Amino acid sequence: MRVSLVVSALSLILSACAPAPVAQVAMNRPSPAIAGAALAPLQGFAAQPAPQAARGNADIARDFLDLAFQMESGRALPVLTRFDGPITVALTGDVPATAHPDLARVMARLRAEAGIDIRPALPGGNAAITIDFQPQATMRRLVPSAACFVVPRVSSFAEYRAGRATGATDWSTLTRRERVGIIAPSDTSPQEVRDCLHEELAQAIGPLNDLYRLPDSVFNDDNFHTVLTGFDMLVLRVYNDPALANGMTRAEVAARLPAILARLNPAGEGRGAGGNAAIAPRPWIEAVEKALGARGSDAARRSAADRMLSIARAQGWNDNRLAFSWFAVGRANVGHDRDTAARAFREARRIWQGQPGGEVRTAHVDMQLAAFALAGGDFAEALALTDRAIPVVRRAENAALLATLLMIRSEANVALGRDDAAEAARLDSLGWARYGFGTDAQVRARLSDIAGLAASGRRG
């Protein structure tokens, strides 16, 4: 399940962790003018293979077992379940225009990188996986915190609603997967639709759990990674390896994992497990939801972020969870105490710089610090931070974050009198903004927010 946490560039720049406005339906058509010029056409990323997993096989085996044999709620799963044979996928409901090409791209990656036989269902045929697009308001009446989710034994939201009280949608009762439904939003940005396709398809054909300790995976509710990573592709390849089978227990899978990983990931051999691998305790997860969720006061978010950090330190963590706690403290203090926020962001970046997959997270920090620099009149620093972050974000395929960085870059160049460079960055930002934010109104709002920061910096 992809949860709605406000941690990305979709949240308002330099506000006190305000939730992103609900996107209108994204339309791939010409747009009204902004500041006298029409918006660029909506852009999207071409498919590209992810770098291979960069951790040792002992770590990956440990993570695989916790992902495969536990639910996000903490419930244990008795046996491994998966599809047997080719997997077919169908789209239904109010399907967004970008869903078909983005689904084709992720299925091509799953075939090439994870070795999974996944293909579109034939018209009128029975699909193994059906992705049903519904309005966000309809979804959240039943699952308030979910941006999208995956359910067994159903092919539609209506089936899920009818069967949720009967036990039919309980994953722990499965012995194999035959029919799975993915419920996704029809009225959000193209990027959010794509992110749901990546994460929910991965859970439909692989592990069901998310782990906050993972720095390099979409199997993590912090939502920093928006598309499937090299670690994710390896996990899915292992999950569907012929040496495993439906009905295997955790102990049986654990006995076979070393040989499977040695065959599929020889570069990870001989590297032992390290760090604190314990599952994050429930109080810390509840603090995450309060610190970065859409509900509650600014003071409540700051309190929850401080609680995250206190628990992380008490647990002895020095991994993604500690860095994420620092990041939450930074986000919660953006509109309250900028010095505290900047210190927290830098501490998060220090930890993430030493972790596999941490470069994507450090790019989020760099965006926040670039916004600070822009608002403080340090335009050269804003350019340096965007210089460092933009190549990482392009590779990570985060259009919303990329657009924001380019807008910051444009305003910094304007302030320095570099009009040609400013115009190039602004034009580059607009097509990515339409993919990342979804509507012309939201693109205008982001442009206005960042222009306001630059104006503040010039006055200062």
Side-chain angles (χ1 to χ4, degrees):
M1 178 177 73
R2 184 173 182 82
V3 299
S4 299
L5 292 183
V6 184
V7 298
S8 72
L10 292 169
S11 55
L12 297 178
I13 295 289
L14 293 185
S15 65
C17 224
V22 175
Q24 303 164 33
V25 177
M27 295 294 195
N28 192 4
R29 54 181 170 79
S31 308
I34 290 182
L39 283 182
L42 180 147
Q43 292 196 58
F45 295 96
Q48 57 181 336
Q52 292 186 344
R55 289 191 281 131
N57 284 345
D59 281 347
I60 294 171
R62 176 197 66 201
D63 294 337
F64 181 93
L65 291 170
D66 285 343
L67 287 170
F69 287 95
Q70 189 165 310
M71 299 287 293
E72 293 180 56
S73 64
R75 290 179 60 201
L77 291 169
V79 296
L80 182 137
T81 64
R82 67 186 191 188
F83 288 101
D84 287 326
I87 301 169
T88 55
V89 183
L91 302 179
T92 190
D94 188 10
V95 182
T98 56
H100 284 285
D102 278 340
L103 176 62
R105 280 189 281 270
V106 70
M107 287 198 298
R109 283 194 59 201
L110 288 167
R111 289 190 294 269
E113 299 174 53
I116 294 171
D117 187 355
I118 185 168
R119 62 188 73 165
L122 294 174
N126 294 320
I129 299 171
T130 303
I131 304 169
D132 187 8
F133 287 93
Q134 296 289 325
Q136 293 180 92
T138 301
M139 294 170 56
R140 288 174 179 168
R141 278 196 288 270
L142 292 186
V143 188
S145 64
C148 41
F149 53 96
V150 60
V151 190
R153 298 190 181 108
V154 306
S155 298
S156 70
F157 184 73
E159 277 191 86
Y160 166 65
R161 186 166 47 201
R164 64 197 294 259
T166 68
T169 59
D170 184 347
W171 285 99
S172 68
T173 64
L174 263 61
T175 57
R176 67 180 62 248
R177 301 184 194 180
E178 296 175 331
R179 193 164 59 103
V180 167
I182 293 172
I183 315 303
S186 60
D187 51 351
T188 190
S189 70
Q191 176 165 319
E192 184 66 22
V193 170
R194 181 210 60 188
D195 296 354
C196 282
L197 292 176
H198 277 247
E199 182 164 344
E200 303 312 319
L201 269 179
Q203 292 193 315
I205 62 180
L208 296 167
N209 197 12
D210 284 315
L211 295 171
Y212 277 107
R213 70 173 182 252
L214 300 181
D216 52 353
S217 177
V218 302
F219 291 104
N220 186 331
D221 275 337
D222 67 17
N223 295 350
F224 280 98
H225 284 279
T226 58
V227 298
L228 292 166
T229 68
F231 171 86
D232 299 329
M233 290 298 185
L234 177 59
V235 164
L236 292 173
R237 187 178 283 274
V238 171
Y239 200 92
N240 291 275
D241 191 87
L244 301 181
N246 276 306
M248 282 188 168
T249 65
R250 182 180 179 122
E252 290 170 332
V253 171
R256 299 196 182 190
L257 277 181
I260 296 171
L261 284 166
R263 170 166 43 86
L264 296 180
N265 189 44
E269 284 297 281
R271 298 164 62 182
N276 186 330
I279 301 291
R282 193 67 216 171
W284 184 82
I285 294 172
E286 290 170 355
V288 170
E289 293 166 353
K290 291 177 182 177
L292 293 159
R295 298 180 179 179
S297 67
D298 295 343
R301 291 190 182 95
R302 289 194 296 274
S303 177
D306 289 341
R307 193 157 60 252
M308 283 176 63
L309 183 58
S310 177
I311 294 170
R313 285 169 158 169
Q315 290 288 321
W317 295 335
N318 194 32
D319 58 13
N320 182 61
R321 294 166 294 186
L322 178 62
F324 189 37
S325 299
W326 278 113
F327 183 86
V329 171
R331 288 290 294 133
N333 281 280
V334 160
H336 175 70
D337 184 339
R338 193 170 296 184
D339 289 341
T340 295
R343 286 194 298 271
F345 285 137
R346 291 190 180 100
E347 188 63 23
R349 184 173 65 185
R350 181 190 66 78
I351 299 167
W352 277 330
Q353 282 177 327
Q355 295 190 339
E359 64 275 3
V360 173
R361 290 169 163 79
T362 61
H364 279 265
V365 173
D366 286 341
M367 182 274 288
Q368 297 286 352
L369 295 177
F372 282 147
L374 191 66
D378 193 346
F379 304 116
E381 176 68 3
L383 288 176
L385 288 163
T386 59
D387 267 342
R388 182 167 63 191
I390 284 172
V392 173
V393 174
R394 285 189 189 275
R395 290 194 297 271
E397 301 185 28
N398 189 327
L401 184 55
L402 176 57
T404 302
L405 288 162
L406 288 165
M407 289 175 188
I408 292 172
R409 187 168 186 79
S410 177
E411 291 293 343
N413 275 310
V414 167
L416 293 170
R418 302 170 182 171
D419 292 344
D420 289 346
E423 180 67 5
R426 189 188 71 83
L427 290 175
D428 194 13
S429 76
L430 295 180
W432 297 116
R434 295 194 68 219
Y435 187 87
F437 301 127
T439 67
D440 296 347
Q442 288 184 320
V443 177
R444 289 190 191 93
R446 181 48 53 94
L447 286 166
S448 177
D449 289 341
I450 294 173
L453 296 181
S456 174
R458 286 191 290 271
R459 288 194 300 270

